Amino acid sequence: MKQLLNMIAGPHNWLADKDFIWWPFSFLRPNPKEIITFKHTLLMTLCFGGLSFLMFVCFAVANNALTADSLVSTFMFCFLGFLVWFNGVTKPFWNYRAKQLNS
């Protein structure tokens, strides 16, 4: 089981260490030895969810496809999607590595 976790967490953390993943919020990237908290994932969600929401809305406006329904669903998708991803994937894999590095 530990081997499987290492096989999945390794590539995820390798990718998460890249600068382009954190653009334009590279200040949010913690040190590899630092544990990510729920508060940190909320801040990451606000930043990345807000940016993606803004990009989707601009795209919809440019294509004359913005409706109230699409605005609400895009808002929910952007923020809830990042919240789930950061707390369900990024945080556990990052913290797994941080605990290994701190031992």
Side-chain angles (χ1 to χ4, degrees):
M1 184 66 165
K2 192 171 184 174
Q3 262 185 329
L4 179 62
L5 186 57
N6 285 332
M7 284 179 15
I8 297 169
H12 176 274
N13 289 331
W14 175 81
L15 188 61
D17 286 336
K18 303 300 177 196
D19 288 337
F20 72 92
I21 294 294
W22 293 91
W23 179 91
F25 306 111
S26 57
F27 65 91
L28 290 173
R29 181 175 55 191
N31 183 311
K33 291 184 175 185
E34 184 180 339
I35 299 290
I36 294 179
T37 63
F38 183 71
K39 182 180 175 183
H40 194 113
T41 60
L42 282 179
L43 183 58
M44 290 164 43
T45 298
L46 286 174
C47 291
F48 285 101
L51 178 63
S52 64
F53 176 70
L54 181 64
M55 292 170 66
F56 279 118
V57 168
C58 288
F59 182 77
V61 168
N63 288 298
N64 201 23
L66 187 65
T67 64
D69 288 341
S70 71
L71 193 64
V72 170
S73 63
T74 300
F75 181 84
M76 298 302 279
F77 177 76
C78 289
F79 286 96
L80 288 178
F82 275 108
L83 186 66
V84 168
W85 178 262
F86 288 146
N87 283 296
V89 178
T90 300
K91 180 180 164 183
F93 288 156
W94 191 280
N95 290 348
Y96 175 74
R97 176 181 63 178
K99 289 174 185 172
Q100 286 182 325
L101 293 173
N102 287 325
S103 336

